[in-house]
């Protein structure tokens, strides 16, 4: 049996696409092996959000070739899309595909076996207007599935390379999304996480279909118990939208609302489309409808021109909002984006200090949020046994608290009510009560 190994960098969309490519290879008779093992084919699904992503992609290409010098190496994804010449020049690369036509990957691999030429299948992504339909759902026994509903972004935040790597917005057809949700339910998945490059843009390129239609459609599918939105934009969370989704019981009280900065001047330079005041208003509105709501976010430090005062505004704003989780990023210039050319780039020592300060706040905020739930019962969707706590299993509550419980493997894939007893770092420890 021929073998294929995947190495995936970057976001949930990349993970989804790797999973979909994996199913295509399996259907063609390949066995998926670990990325450390000797394999006939290696697929590297790259990321280019930071320089680190590019570097890791290059390292992995070289490592795979070392493990098996005869292997076919296919490089796909955002780094291949934005820097095809650079990727093609790396020794050992046989195929490059960008962020479109991943459905043809097996075909390309089979062709190269026949003629040993290099294949460059990267297209001009700005010309792609259709969502590339890739599906998952054949794999059984998992609990939570990331479901891609949208591709591309038209926002052009000044620091971000993604619109150039993923192209314009393309929404997946509602009927295709619903079919996939049904398939996932048949295969015992209980939670779907609606994912995309810019989920908030869903439907803008379609007639008469909105994100709300997707959520309502998925809500009707028996077997799916939870629907999570991987991210929404402050601009999408209108009163009507929040009112509607707060009535849908399967929608998790957890939203990832990307903030990036709490300072209006910085937000403007970033070309973000909201002010700190508007953001706060939306958070308050969301909390009026969902009091236990978990709000997670991303914050960037060291954006060009960020003064101490601007950083302090962000810090104080983040503290005031009280997030349950914060991903802190240090700005790194990406060639081809406007911000890379801005004057007043912030030195790395300052970025490091600001990042440490915010990470400390992130930890305190997470603990403060979780403390509210000590002594309460929440349903937990158990995923797997814990690596760190012997005899414990772990899973997530609907409001995104990671919970550890002493249990046996029959809990995997089940929703069980758990009494939350104590904090465990930024997670919690609880004990099992009954089936949710
Ligand atoms: S919204 Fe901004 S940060 Fe997000 S993908 Fe689009 S351009 Fe990048």
């Amino acid at each position: 049996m021929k073998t294929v190994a995947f190495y995936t960098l970057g976001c949930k969309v990349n993970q989804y696409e790797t999973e979909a490519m994996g199913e295509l290879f399996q259907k063609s008779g390949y066995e998926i092996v670990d990325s450390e093992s000797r394999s006939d084919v290696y697929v590297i699904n790259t990321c280019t959000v930071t320089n680190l992503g590019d570097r890791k992609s290059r390292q992995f290409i070289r490592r795979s070739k070392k493990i098996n010098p005869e292997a076919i190496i296919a490089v796909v994804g955002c780094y291949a899309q934005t820097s095809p010449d650079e990727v093609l020049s790396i020794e050992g690369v046989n195929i490059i595909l960008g962020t479109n036509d991943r459905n043809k990957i097996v075909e390309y691999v089979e062709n190269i076996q026949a003629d040993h030429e290099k294949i460059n299948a990267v297209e001009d992504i700005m010309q792609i207007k259709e969502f590339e339909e890739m599906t998952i759902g054949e794999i059984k026994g998992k609990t939570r599935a990331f479901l891609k509903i949208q591709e591309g972004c038209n926002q052009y935040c000044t620091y971000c390379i993604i619109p150039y790597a993923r192209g314009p917005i393309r929404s997946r057809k509602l009927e295709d999304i619903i079919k996939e949700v049904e398939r996932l339910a048949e295969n015992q998945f209980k939670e779907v996480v609606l994912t995309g490059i810019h989920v908030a843009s869903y439907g803008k390129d379609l007639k008469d279909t909105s994100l709300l239609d997707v959520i309502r459609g998925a809500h009707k599918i028996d077997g799916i118990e939870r629907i999570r939105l991987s991210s929404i934009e402050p601009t999408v969370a209108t009163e009507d939208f929040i009112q509607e989704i707060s009535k849908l019981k399967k929608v998790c009280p957890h939203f990832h609302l990307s903030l990036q900065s709490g300072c209006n001047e910085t937000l403007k330079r970033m070309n973000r489309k909201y002010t700190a005041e508007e953001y706060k208003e939306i958070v308050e509105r969301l909390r009026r409808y969902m009091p236990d709501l978990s709000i997670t976010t991303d914050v960037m430090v060291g954006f060009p021109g960020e003064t101490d005062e601007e950083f302090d505004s962000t810090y104080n704003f983040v503290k005031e909002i009280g997030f349950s989780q914060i991903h802190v990023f240090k700005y790194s210039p990406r060639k081809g984006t406007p911000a890379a050319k801005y004057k007043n780039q912030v030195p790395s020592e300052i970025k490091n200090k600001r990042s440490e300060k915010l990470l400390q706040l992130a930890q305190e905020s997470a603990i403060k949020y979780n403390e509210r739930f000590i002594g309460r019962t929440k349903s937990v969707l158990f995923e797997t046994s814990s690596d760190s706590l012997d005899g414990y299993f772990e899973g997530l509550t609907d409001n995104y608290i990671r919970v550890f419980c002493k249990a046996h493997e029959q809990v995997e894939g089940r929703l069980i009510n758990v009494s939350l007893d104590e904090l465990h770092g930024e997670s919690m420890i609880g004990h099992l009560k009954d089936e949710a």
Side-chain angles (χ1 to χ4, degrees):
M1 202 176 196
K2 290 173 286 185
T3 53
V4 59
F6 288 91
Y7 185 67
T8 309
L9 288 140
C11 63
K12 300 291 184 235
V13 173
N14 262 15
Q15 284 172 29
Y16 176 91
E17 289 161 354
T18 292
E19 199 124 313
M21 287 188 283
E23 291 193 10
L24 289 173
F25 274 100
Q26 282 177 319
K27 276 184 202 147
S28 303
Y30 283 76
E31 183 195 348
I32 298 178
V33 296
D34 193 68
S35 65
E36 312 275 322
S37 311
R38 188 183 166 87
S39 179
D40 300 316
V41 181
Y42 291 91
V43 178
I44 297 114
N45 196 358
T46 60
C47 168
T48 194
V49 165
T50 64
N51 287 320
L52 189 69
D54 293 2
R55 204 163 63 231
K56 279 194 180 163
S57 305
R58 289 195 297 269
Q59 276 167 0
F60 192 79
I61 295 165
R62 294 198 187 98
R63 204 185 75 192
S64 308
K65 205 67 191 174
K66 240 191 214 160
I67 304 175
N68 180 9
E70 302 299 314
I72 305 279
I73 309 270
V75 184
V76 305
C78 294
Y79 176 40
Q81 181 68 47
T82 51
S83 310
D85 296 337
E86 197 174 305
V87 174
L88 260 189
S89 69
I90 304 170
E91 213 189 309
V93 172
N94 302 100
I95 300 165
I96 63 162
L97 259 172
T99 53
N100 201 43
D101 275 352
R102 273 81 35 98
N103 271 333
K104 295 188 188 149
I105 185 137
V106 182
E107 211 178 293
Y108 284 124
V109 167
E110 300 284 330
N111 285 343
I112 204 121
Q113 279 167 347
D115 56 26
H116 280 269
E117 290 288 318
K118 282 197 180 201
I119 298 178
N120 178 357
V122 176
E123 294 172 292
D124 178 359
I125 202 67
M126 292 304 168
Q127 302 308 321
I128 306 294
K129 304 280 185 264
E130 288 284 308
F131 182 89
E132 184 188 13
E133 184 59 25
M134 296 178 86
T135 58
I136 58 162
E138 300 299 320
I139 299 162
K140 292 191 186 193
K142 293 214 181 158
T143 52
R144 212 154 61 103
F146 290 91
L147 195 156
K148 186 176 161 192
I149 63 167
Q150 180 277 340
E151 174 66 278
C153 179
N154 294 355
Q155 298 290 105
Y156 290 93
C157 299
T158 54
Y159 52 84
C160 185
I161 191 79
I162 294 299
Y164 311 93
R166 291 278 174 174
I169 55 166
R170 283 98 78 199
S171 303
R172 190 173 184 182
K173 284 190 203 125
L174 181 61
E175 70 223 57
D176 291 334
I177 299 173
I178 299 308
K179 266 188 230 149
E180 186 154 301
V181 180
E182 283 168 350
R183 224 172 16 248
L184 290 167
E186 276 162 26
N187 286 317
Q188 282 93 51
F189 286 88
K190 297 232 170 23
E191 179 176 323
V192 288
V193 187
L194 303 179
T195 309
I197 296 295
H198 191 245
V199 171
S201 294
Y202 182 86
K204 290 198 175 142
D205 55 330
L206 299 175
K207 279 190 208 128
D208 311 325
T209 313
S210 68
L211 183 58
L212 206 49
D213 296 320
V214 174
I215 301 169
R216 284 196 189 110
H219 200 268
K220 287 188 193 138
I221 312 288
D222 287 339
I224 296 298
E225 307 287 348
R226 287 180 178 178
I227 301 160
R228 202 181 291 277
L229 286 162
S230 68
S231 68
I232 55 167
E233 276 272 307
T235 46
V236 163
T238 60
E239 185 86 32
D240 286 350
F241 180 85
I242 300 168
Q243 206 171 20
E244 277 307 302
I245 54 171
S246 67
K247 289 184 209 149
L248 302 172
K249 296 293 162 232
K250 292 180 182 177
V251 175
C252 293
H254 163 221
F255 296 113
H256 187 82
L257 266 183
S258 186
L259 173 67
Q260 302 303 350
S261 169
C263 163
N264 287 340
E265 286 72 32
T266 320
L267 285 170
K268 211 167 172 187
R269 290 200 302 282
M270 289 176 163
N271 193 29
R272 302 288 292 178
K273 308 281 193 295
Y274 50 86
T275 61
E277 292 73 26
E278 283 162 352
Y279 187 99
K280 191 172 159 215
E281 226 174 84
I282 281 149
V283 168
E284 285 168 355
R285 199 182 291 156
L286 282 164
R287 284 181 173 151
R288 265 204 311 278
Y289 285 93
M290 301 179 207
D292 280 342
L293 183 70
S294 158
I295 301 178
T296 54
T297 200
D298 308 308
V299 182
M300 181 180 285
V301 294
F303 185 74
E306 186 188 59
T307 60
D308 285 343
E309 291 71 32
E310 290 188 3
F311 172 72
D312 288 346
S313 305
T314 295
Y315 183 89
N316 293 332
F317 186 78
V318 166
K319 196 167 180 180
E320 187 187 344
I321 296 286
F323 293 100
S324 58
Q325 257 183 40
I326 307 165
H327 301 133
V328 180
F329 295 94
K330 287 181 255 183
Y331 169 75
S332 96
R334 304 307 290 139
K335 214 171 125 203
T337 60
K341 292 193 214 114
Y342 286 179
K343 292 195 183 103
N344 305 328
Q345 296 285 329
V346 176
S348 5
E349 316 86 74
I350 298 183
K351 282 187 207 167
N352 291 342
K353 272 198 195 132
R354 289 180 185 165
S355 161
E356 272 165 36
K357 198 170 168 195
L358 256 189
L359 283 168
Q360 178 64 36
L361 177 62
Q363 199 181 23
E364 289 162 15
S365 291
I367 290 172
K368 199 166 165 201
Y369 176 76
N370 289 358
E371 266 171 354
R372 292 170 35 186
F373 296 92
I374 295 178
R376 284 174 58 178
T377 298
K378 295 286 291 173
S379 76
V380 173
L381 179 56
F382 282 93
E383 291 168 2
T384 175
S385 59
S386 160
D387 287 337
S388 53
L389 291 173
D390 208 22
Y392 282 72
F393 278 73
E394 60 180 277
L396 286 170
T397 60
D398 57 356
N399 59 340
Y400 215 56
I401 301 175
R402 184 149 295 276
V403 176
F404 295 86
C405 274
K406 235 187 187 125
H408 43 75
E409 66 192 22
Q410 279 95 325
V411 297
E412 272 183 14
R414 280 165 56 196
L415 270 165
I416 301 177
N417 285 326
V418 168
S419 173
L420 303 175
D421 301 324
E422 55 182 300
L423 298 175
H424 175 66
E426 290 175 35
S427 310
M428 296 189 80
I429 290 189
H431 66 269
L432 299 178
K433 288 185 81 179
D434 47 20
E435 206 80 17

